[in-house]
Each structure stands twice: as structure tokens, then as C-alpha cells.
Amino acid sequence: MARITLDHIRHAYGEKPKSEADYSLKEVHHEWNDGGAYALLGPSGCGKTTLLNIISGLLQPSEGRILFDGKDVTYLSTQQRNIAQVFQFPVIYDTMTVYDNLAFPLRNRGVAEPEVDRRVREILEMIDLAGWAKKTARGLTADQKQKISLGRGLVRNDVNAILFDEPLTVIDPHMKWVLRSQLKKLHRQFGFTMVYVTHDQTEALTFADKVVVMYDGQIVQIGTPAELFEKPKHTFVGYFIGSPGMNVLPAAIDGSSVTVGGETLTLDYRPAVSAGAKTELGIRPEFIALSHEGMPVSISKVEDIGRQKIVRAEFAGKPIAIVVPEDGEIPAEPRITFDPAAINIYADSWRVGREG
Amino acid sequence: MNKTWNNKAWFMVLPVLLLVAFSAVIPLMTVVNYSVQDTFGNNQFFWNGVSWFSDVLESDRFWQALGRTLLFSGIILTIQIPLGILIALNMPKKGLGVPVCLVLMALPLLIPWNVVGTIWQVFGRVDIGLLGRTLDALGISYNYVNNVFDAWMTLIVMDVWHWTSLVVLLCYAGLVSIPEAYYQAAKIDGASRWAVFRYIQLPKMKRVLLIAFLLRFMDSFMIYTEPFVVTGGGPGNSTTFLSIDLVKMAIGQFDLGPAAAMSIIYFLIILLLSWIFYTVMTSSDEQA
Ligand SMILES: Nc1ncnc2c1ncn2[C@@H]1O[C@H](COP(=O)(O)OP(=O)(O)OP(=O)(O)O)[C@@H](O)[C@H]1O
Ligand SMILES: [Mg+2]
């Protein structure tokens, strides 16, 4: 139970990093609130695992400090930091029984045996392996192993934080849902700080109060799911969050007017764009209206995904996705209009707000 | 799984079978032949039944040699296995140290047996050997030629020097195959150094250790060249292991019958013990 501060953390795996590109973590400066539930989202290789390992102390950052409740723990061992971590690839001690696997972190810390028993049984129940307690962990299936791995992270209830690195990848959807709600319950009950890495955006968006999006060794945006959806700070967040992702179109900005595909729109503000920057307009498929008015598009494909239809079209030579309600009609000479409030302007991939 | 049966495949194994027949089965059968017959020269042989076998099994000489051999193997295994594990655990896992250590470890294994014997024979000599002279200078009385304890010590130290590397290399191979995630999980779980060894490293080394154990057992149980060169089986009969005794009997005294019988008994003992070790060690594997 701690507030975790990452103070200008940088990390390079190589000995002597020369250029920015040698850093797997470019610069992370962020505070995880005590008791917060965070989802960490990002593409493969963006540094999620690296960041978790730095928090738990398995890895020493090349630069920067880590503070728990304001106390510098940068040079403290994993054990001293008292953090639980569940790894991306399940680790089980396969000569031990399932029970002993779960008891291991407690026994190592000298917890009294009755308490160990109580905790382990609780976790066994939760991960639905109560009948397997006496079995050796060796012959278990991949999802059982992952559950044990998860269980070992949850069995200690006095930890400062629990870090989950995609803990549910091979668990079947129903069990995933059950475990996720169990996790939420535990979180509410014990109030540990929780960081949860996932590739799955629905998981991230339903589970966490704050979603942290990483890209190329950096945190590009931290926000509530709604913020990420409505105001992506970086075009990457726009692409990555939402399905289909945000449409990003090259645009010329002049004062408050935006020219995209030969059409000029007028914004009610003047984006602060410096000269020479690559400027783009971002609009989510949900905020494009398809009708007889507006800018012409040519439709290439319509995907029916149940309650909605995704229209794939070409607009000014660029592919564009449009979400249409199930009963929405698709005109013969389709034209589109953008919801002005949903337009985001990007300069060199970063969102620019209102000037002044 | 879908297996295709094709009896022509047996032809593929035929060359190997022939080779094994010539190199192992036929020589073995001649030994069997000798063990059940007697001869008075002139290439005339008489059926002798199992009397050579009972002679061997009733002689004190055989049991004493067997006892010495077992003791030697026992000591060798108790030293080399733990020592090998210990060294392997402390070998570097990355960097320049790895090739250096591996080459250093492999060196003793590359030296021919009789050369090893000769090296130690000279090394330990009281008149000119470095070891012998040094111990003498330190005031420690040491003479492997006439002191039983010193002779055994020399042979044991020599074998440890020669063969511990094998155990080290096998264990090391087992250790480097452990993914980093296991050590990370152990740290998170607050495991002690001992717990890491007991629950992560030892289980991963189990299979290679079994191989190391069997190889070292069979090899030390059959040791011949080195003691032959260093002590020649002495002082007295104190380092006359089964193999040395066998050669004495067969070549020295030319008692082919008893020697053949003894060979077969020797062979069966190795087979039996290896089988027992293997079964015991793999069955504990299944329970665990
Ligand atoms: N032990 C290591 N040695 C050298 N480079 C590493 C090491 N571990 C990771 N990297 C590099 O650091 C970068 C970030 O890796 P990291 O494992 O943190 O990514 P990730 O976000 O967890 O990816 P994934 O979603 O695939 O798990 C990658 O480019 C990777 O190649
Ligand atoms: Mg990862």
C-alpha cells in the first residue's frame, strides 16, 4: 500500500547507451497513486515488462529514482520493496504440490502455518483449483499453471503493490471474467496499488480507473477510458484505443481553418501549430456521419458487426473507417460530415489544444 | 498420433546391429565360452560347468577387490557430484568468463587416461615430484608407494582432478537452460538461496545429474589405467580394484577360465547397479 513515484526513469539494456534509440525506456516520470488500479497498455516491445521489473526491483534503472511514499527505494532489493508480481510467462515450481506453490511466498516470509493454510485455501478457492491442492504442479495444463502463478501473486495481502504482466492470456473467457472480478474485489478489500499490463483493451478499459498507454519506451497518455477515447494525446493512442481506431488524415492548418481532402472546415479555436510541423486531423469513426451531404467518399467494404456496421471507404485518396448504426442506410452517392466537437488536431503526432 | 509401420526400416538398423555384434556380442560370447570350459593347452577345451563361477564367488580375493572398488566408487561419487554442482553453480553465466571457464573445465577431460596416471605418478613422487617434494618440505610424511592411505588419497585426488569437470559441464548445461523468469519469480516470492537451489536449480539439473552419476559410477567402478600406472595395485593389494585383479588373473597368471567368469560377474554387477540407480533415481522423479 504505497504511492509509487517514478522519478525520471530511463533504462537501457546495453552497457553504454549512445543514442536515444538505445533506451528501452526513454523517460518515464509518473506517479502511481496509493491504491490506484492502473492498466498498462501498449504494443509489443514498448517497454511494459521493463517498467514493471524496474518497479519491483528486478531491474535497476540506468537513470532516475523510484520512491515509495516519498522514500527512495531505488537501491532496495525486490524483497525489501515487498511487491508481488505475476509474470507474463507462468512460473511454477514443478516439484512442489499446487498447495505448496501457493504457500511458498508466505513460508519464505515466515508466516505462521495456520495463517498460511487459511490464505492458501482462500486462493485455491478463488482460482478454482481446490481439488488440486495435493497434486504436483508438474502435469498441469497451461491455464492451471497461469492460475497458480496468479495465485502466488495474490496470496500475500500485505504487499505495497501488485504488478500483473498479462496474467490471463491463456485463461478461457468465462474464467477470465470471473478472475477479473475477483481481482477487483481483492483490490477493493485490501487497497494495494495495482498495475495491470494487457494487450486487451476491453480488459484495460473495464478494469482500471486509469489507463496508461505506452509507446516506444514512453508513456504517451494517462487517463480515464473516456479521455483516451475522446482526446487521444498522440495519434498512436488514437489508433490503438477503439475498434476500429481513429482516422488520421493529413491536414493543412491555417488559423482556425483546416483543409482536408480539398475541403475546408472551420474550427471554433486556433490550434497552436508551429510552422513546419506535420499536421493531421484525427476523427473517430463513431463521429463521422454518412449521408447525402458533405464530402464525397467512395465505399469499398461494409462490415456488419452486429449492432453496428463498419464502412470502409476512401476519402481524398486515404482509407477511412466510418461507424454506422445497424439500421443506418448507406446512400448511393455517399458523403460524410465530421462532428466538429470530435475533431482532434495533431502536430508531429502530438495533440494540440486551443491556443492561449 | 498416426504411426506408419514399415518393416523395411529394420534394414536401416542392420549395419549398426552388425557392428555391435562384431564389437561387443562376439567378444562377449568368447568370454562366456572361456568361463564355462577348462583347458590344458593345445587348444583343447573341456566343459566345466559353473565351477569357475563358484570358485570366483567363493574366493576372498574377489570379495576384497569388489569391496575396494565399491569403496573407491563411493568416495569418488560423494566428492565429485557435490563438488561438481558447487562449481557449476558458481560458474559465470554470461560474458567473457564463460568460454574461459568452459575451456579450463574441459582441459582435464582431454588428457588420455594413461597420461593422467603418469602425470600423477611423477607429480607425487617423493624424490622428484612437485607434490611429493612440497609435502615433504612441509614436514608431512607422504609416500604413495608404501603407505596405503597415501596411495588411496593420490588416486582419489587424481580422479577428482580428472573427472569432476564432467559433472561440472553436465550440471552447467542444466543450469543455463533455466529461464531467467524462474529466478525473478523466486526473488518476488522471497526465496532464500537454498530454496532457489532446492526448488529451481536442483529439479532442472536432475536429469543431467542422473547421467553424470551413472557415467561417474560406471567409469570409477571400471577404473584401470590410472591406478595401474600410479600404484600398480599396491602397496600390497590395497589398490587392487576388480579391473586390476582381473588383468592380473588373466594375463599375469593366465587363468583364463576364472578370469572369464570374473569378467562376466563384473559385467553383471555394473549392469545391475546401474539399473538399480537408474530405477531409484527416476522413480523418485515421478513421485516428486
Ligand atoms: N533482457 C533484455 N536484454 C536486452 N533487451 C531487452 C531485454 N528485455 C527486453 N529488451 C528490449 O527492451 C524493449 C522492451 O521490452 P519489454 O519486454 O519491456 O516489452 P513489452 O512491452 O513487455 O513487450 P511484450 O508486450 O511483447 O511483452 C524491447 O525492444 C526488447 O527487445
Ligand atoms: Mg512483456
Side-chain angles (χ1 to χ4, degrees), chain B residues 98-150:
Chain B
V98 176
V100 173
C101 281
L102 287 179
V103 169
L104 278 180
M105 280 295 142
L107 271 182
L109 299 175
L110 299 174
I111 304 174
W113 288 230
N114 55 346
V115 177
V116 171
T118 314
I119 290 174
W120 283 82
Q121 202 259 347
V122 176
F123 188 47
R125 273 173 67 162
V126 206
D127 50 349
I128 56 166
L130 184 61
L131 177 70
R133 292 297 299 250
T134 312
L135 287 176
D136 195 43
L138 291 174
I140 301 165
S141 85
Y142 166 80
N143 190 335
Y144 66 76
V145 180
N146 56 29
N147 182 308
V148 174
F149 181 77
D150 293 352

